[in-house]
Amino acid sequence: MNPPKYPASSVTPKQDTLFRHGRSISNEGSTAVAGPRDGLQAPFRDGREARSMSNAPPIFGPRGSSLAQGPPPGSFSSDLKTMTLPRNVTPRTEQGPFFADYGPKDEERTSEQRQSELRDQISKETKIKIGSENLLEALTSKSARQAKDQRTRVEAELGSSNRKILELTSQLEEEIGRSKRPRTPPRNRLSAIFHSSPTNSSHGDDGSVQAEHPGTEESESPTFALSEILQALEIEGLQPDYYVERANRLVDLLKKYPSLKYDLVWPVFGLRVQTMLLSQSREVIAAGYRVTRHAITDRRSLQTIRRLNTDELVMLSLVKESKANIEREQALKFVRAFLDVKGGIHEISNLILRTIVAVAEHHEDRLRNISILTLLELLIRSPAKVVDAGGMASLTQALLDGSYPGSESLASTILFLFNKPTDRLYLKSCHELDAAFTVFTDPIVVHSSEEKLKASASVIIALLQSWPGLHSVSNDGFAAIKGLLLSLAYPSLLARDLILDIVNAILQIKAPSWSSAFLAGRRLTTYGRVANLNKEATPSTTAAMSEDEEESRINLREHYLALLLAVLIQSGLPQVLSKLIQEEAAESGLRRKATLLHGEMLNLANRLLPQKYSSSLQVLSQLVGPDDFKPTNNSLQQISMTYQIDSVSRTLYRSQAASKHSYDTLSWSKQQKTSLAFQSTKQQVDHDMDEIKFRAAIVETQILNHANFLKWDWNLIEELIEGPLRNPKRLNEAIVGTKFLKRLLGFYRPFKYRFSATLNTKLNQRYVRAGVALMKALLQSNEGIAFLWDSKFLRQLGECLSQIDRTSGFFADEPLFSNWRTSSTLTGGYFSLLGALSSDPRGLQMFERWHMINISYHIIDLRDRDDLIELLLGNMDFTLDSHLRVMLSKALTASHKHIRIFATELLRKYAIQPARAETDMQGRSSVCEWAIRLLVTQLYDPEVEVSEVAVQILEESCQWKSHLEYVVRCRPQLDHLNNIGAPLLLRFLSTSLGYQYLDRLDYITQEMDDWFLGRNNSYVTLVEAMLSREFSASLNGLSQSHMHEPSLLPKHSALPPHFYRELSRTKEGCVLLQDSGHFDKFVMTIRDARTEQEDQEAMTKLKGCLWAVGNIGSMELGASFLDDSDVVQWIVEIAEHSEVATLRGTAFFVLGLISRSLHGMEIITQHGWLTATDYYGRSIGYCLPSSLGVFFSIGNQPQPVEDGASRSRGGGEPHHPIVDKDPIHACILESVASTGNTVLTKKAAGELNSLKTHHVEAFSSVELYRKVRDMLGRYRFHLPVRRFILDLFNRSVIREVVLDEEESENESIQTERAMGVRPRHPLS
């Protein structure tokens, strides 16, 4: 069959006007794409079909469902921002087969739309709820009479919002469940395509197209379907939507039958691809790229595709204007598909790379962001190709101007080259990343560009959170960091505030709870009470920190922060903060922020740094003048600032003492979300208040004067409950002499519908706090217990609970503890009150009196009330040995997975407490041992998630030696958990009892062999991933870098357990380590490979040996191994002189580990390193070099080179000049070369237009076109210049270059021979 014929038209638009330099091509036309997609758009038709919705093709198919097993190669979103439809394009319902690749089933798409609508409605109602709660808080300041009507309306609106949120949430859950249910399999996709094709009727009589029937394709072979589609694509002269439809069907076929692409006969298939790529329709060209992309299998297929001259076509597509974005996008996707193939990066030609670089340099191009991302991926895999193509300049410029949304990833990729000395050769200098600092040092940018400042701030934080970044900015005596700190002198509020935020973020300073009030200008005198009360509220938790836990905790993050703090101090941070604090012209909030930062800096220095670095800071020499100073305004201001810094430091110390271990008690399980246990933050009224003051205070509460609880003074009520009512005498007086307690407890009676009908808002939580305090106060005296025993409160509460017990016989149309009431009202707060009673034996007797224990057992059995079960379990106190423990055990074993995980989390609170040395009088074990027994039982849960939670809690509990020994005595079997139980087994090695238990199981020798042969290297990856995760919290935004509550933060950056560290804790383990000879082999590896810089595998092995030696040396028994060799000296040599930045960092952390032991600290001190110690002179595991300049000196600085000038890096030869013997051709080549010069661009463009006018035949020369193409692949040309140059040539030249018949024939024969014998299709 003859090849198809094409009209003699150009592939690219002809440019009739003079090229204008810098012309924007990003203006979107009416055919601009509306967003990321992979399906293709058929062009709009003229005439009546253009006015018919049924005939008009869709714009594009949504991303989502597909018959493919995974995303197509090279898929991406063309812009990192959400795109919207142009105003002149009307969104239409997707129908028809044009976008079958991405078009999901109609039912799935409708379900997704309904879910989206429900989520939008939930978001709207949530905003209304928050606004109503805020308005209620504002109305509390007004008198009850004035705000009565408004409060009623607001509460009604709040109740309506809560009901709507509950209903919408239920509907959303049902919709999600419905979408996941299996449905009847739909018809074959090809059948649907044939059945709904709008082109079938118009071509049904054409003999070349067979009549399609719904059931035909389901029984035919995919090979026959492929042949039929290829035959259909052979027809000429049809509408573009015809070819787009067939191309989409072909892609469907390749995705449904992935193996089909391996049997393609490329001479036939490639001809169809070339035909589509040479079409005049942009949609058809895009379809051709898409088909070719889905036909890629391996590097061999890429080579076959490139022999179709696709490089020429991709270059022509990428340089087109924005109205061809659909074609340009598919062309770039096609190039990105090369990255998904092994070795495919080597098939990307320099011509394509230069074109992508040109797109990345064009600021207004829509594909700029994804082009930059493509260059970043190429930079990691093959730096030489990107550097030779001039890509580093565009990446550095994108980092400087801050226009790329992923600036942190951009900086991290460039840092990848800085890590190794061989990769640093690809950098012109080691100061490319200093561009982020220059934004703050430029006074023009500082006062004008807010977005650029914020983007640069994020980059700076990313740089200082990695070893390569810290080394890159520490050259030349920390010049970049000093310049940043000195920029605080610029009178720009935004820049100053951002610089202070940068310092807070890199030091990971978390602002205390009172910081917002302090920055607003309030005094610190009232905020110390909070810390004191918190400290009193959690005495057991503070006492729970044992010496075992302190000794075992290794915080690598704080060790790195100590180094960062030393760098900032040496760069002049104390001096610039002092100047900013003393500056009278500075804004008061900024000065207070600097004061708070100064106090935090002093606190960190005192805690983390060796005495050499921290001793001089505490003097405050910049603020405190000489002894004989005269009282001037400046000196008085210095005294005031010194007093403020001292006040901040003292308040910080009290706050940290209170929240040091708040994680253990405040974030130990999900039940904290529903538990309403509280800690009062108000000053307690005098416990021994006299009778007159007590009666006056009762009257002031307004309980005796008003029945409306909204008029009561709840702040005073809480103070009375926490103070005088804890005195039995005052409590008896309140019960007998007044109706104060009767009315107060009556407020909580369920059937009065006062507390139980109050909306669940943030403000109304004070009623729950007061109720919990009241229960605890009544339980402290016999009078209070008798009063509570005789009250109707518990009887009514028991009756309400029985309403949800299906075996009790009580029924209600709307139970008090219904799903809606517990979520929207304070009904759930009753469980907090019951939790307060469960902590006392007499409270448990009240439970039994009103049969609440039996009801609780039945609640645990409910399968549709997880919320009620979580409220019940989450608020109960299981300290006492009672039926509540049995109830929890039932929930741990008999409930479904979600409740079992929740109940297992509850045990953390009891398992991490110190075990009691004695047992109670009945011989029962301690609470901790009870929790450990239940956790050991949970290890055998059928769900792995439950066992994993139990392992984590047991591992935390094993930080105490007594707990660890008890866990060992329980003899848990962890073989079925594989790697999940490995950390817990490693903990067993730290005691002789655990060593003997594991030795009997033959675990130690097998584990030692595993660690020596491979697990050491895996440990390196684990530690580096952990550090990356820890520091990523600072990159989530400056506003969040220091605004987290301490209780919500991770406990610490604990070093993962290491086998050799746990082994060296005991004498038996040290003997085994000595006999195995593993330590000596680690030392030999460090000695031989300490200068390794090239091989990644060798460096990983070296790091693994370093971590092994460091963990062994951190133990007192293991430190004796360090005396037998000079391993510490070699580790110091690596830390100070290695050319690999990350290897230096590993050695730095290892030296900190070694310094934890007394003997190791002495050895490190002998090698000139400084160790930080506590008040008793014991090492805390942080050491620093005595000279930071030596530590940060990275040698092998590259010499400035021009991009592409050195071919030795890429393995190629230098370029030869491109010349031509024809004088006209030579003149054209010279003018083309001049367009690459920004100064000569306009003149050269005019000369080329003149040559085109007088010598038209020259631009029809294939030889000249190929020389110009080679020039475009060698040198840098802007995107508009490339478009202008290519538009000069006639379209027939492109066709002649792509369709070289003789060359194509030869290549076809070679391809068939290379691919072997394949089944030939009918077309072949």
Side-chain angles (χ1 to χ4, degrees), residues 1069-1087:
C1070 291
V1071 172
L1072 179 62
L1073 182 61
Q1074 181 69 35
D1075 296 339
S1076 65
H1078 286 183
F1079 184 84
D1080 296 334
K1081 295 178 181 178
F1082 293 148
V1083 172
M1084 293 175 59
T1085 302
I1086 295 175
R1087 181 193 61 190

Side-chain angles (χ1 to χ4, degrees), residues 347-609:
E347 299 301 326
I348 301 178
S349 64
N350 209 45
L351 176 65
I352 301 300
L353 267 182
R354 286 280 184 181
T355 308
I356 295 176
V357 169
V359 176
E361 290 177 346
H362 200 70
H363 290 269
E364 299 178 355
D365 196 286
R366 183 187 166 193
L367 300 181
R368 178 175 184 258
N369 290 334
I370 198 62
S371 298
I372 293 177
L373 180 61
T374 304
L375 291 177
L376 292 179
E377 296 179 15
L378 288 169
L379 185 64
I380 293 177
R381 301 187 184 186
S382 180
K385 293 183 70 71
V386 178
V387 172
D388 290 341
M392 285 302 301
S394 60
L395 295 179
T396 305
Q397 184 61 34
L399 181 65
L400 178 61
D401 56 33
S403 58
Y404 182 64
S407 55
E408 297 90 350
S409 61
L410 177 57
S412 300
T413 306
I414 298 178
L415 284 178
F416 175 78
L417 299 181
F418 189 87
N419 185 37
K420 297 181 182 179
T422 53
D423 292 339
R424 282 197 292 271
L425 293 175
Y426 296 110
L427 299 174
K428 287 187 177 181
S429 66
C430 289
H431 299 281
E432 282 84 359
L433 295 171
D434 291 353
F437 293 85
T438 58
V439 176
F440 287 92
T441 58
D442 187 351
I444 299 177
V445 178
V446 163
H447 292 84
S448 61
S449 180
E450 178 179 353
E451 294 183 359
K452 186 178 292 188
L453 286 174
K454 291 183 177 180
S456 299
S458 300
V459 173
I460 291 173
I461 295 174
L463 292 179
L464 297 179
Q465 301 290 6
S466 65
W467 286 109
L470 184 58
H471 279 82
S472 67
V473 301
S474 300
N475 295 324
D476 301 332
F478 313 103
I481 300 178
K482 290 180 179 178
L484 175 68
L485 297 177
L486 292 176
S487 299
L488 284 171
Y490 288 130
S492 172
L493 180 60
L494 175 63
R496 288 179 163 185
D497 190 65
L498 280 176
I499 294 174
L500 294 180
D501 284 344
I502 289 173
V503 178
N504 276 295
I506 62 178
L507 295 180
Q508 297 193 0
I509 295 175
K510 314 301 176 184
S513 58
W514 45 264
S515 61
S516 58
F518 172 72
L519 296 178
R522 300 178 187 176
R523 297 172 59 188
L524 285 173
T525 53
T526 60
Y527 303 107
R529 302 170 187 166
V530 178
N532 291 336
L533 288 177
N534 286 336
K535 187 175 181 179
E536 294 174 2
T538 58
S540 60
T541 305
T542 305
M545 174 61 72
S546 67
E547 293 183 1
D548 296 336
E549 182 185 9
E550 287 285 3
E551 190 273 337
S552 63
R553 192 178 72 173
I554 301 175
N555 197 326
L556 298 182
R557 177 175 59 86
E558 287 195 348
H559 193 190
Y560 186 81
L561 293 182
L563 180 63
L564 276 178
L565 182 60
V567 170
L568 292 174
I569 291 175
Q570 188 161 334
S571 300
L573 178 61
Q575 292 78 9
V576 296
L577 288 180
S578 300
K579 291 181 181 179
L580 182 58
I581 293 172
Q582 300 177 59
E583 185 178 337
E584 298 181 0
E587 196 262 340
S588 59
L590 189 66
R591 294 169 60 187
R592 281 180 168 263
K593 192 172 185 177
T595 303
L596 183 59
L597 177 57
H598 201 293
E600 292 277 9
M601 179 191 66
L602 295 178
N603 184 29
L604 284 175
N606 182 55
R607 184 167 58 92
L608 302 178
L609 295 184

Side-chain angles (χ1 to χ4, degrees), residues 44 53 59 85-93:
F44 295 105
M53 282 295 295
I59 296 174
L85 284 171
R87 296 184 178 180
N88 56 348
V89 176
T90 304
R92 313 181 189 183
T93 305

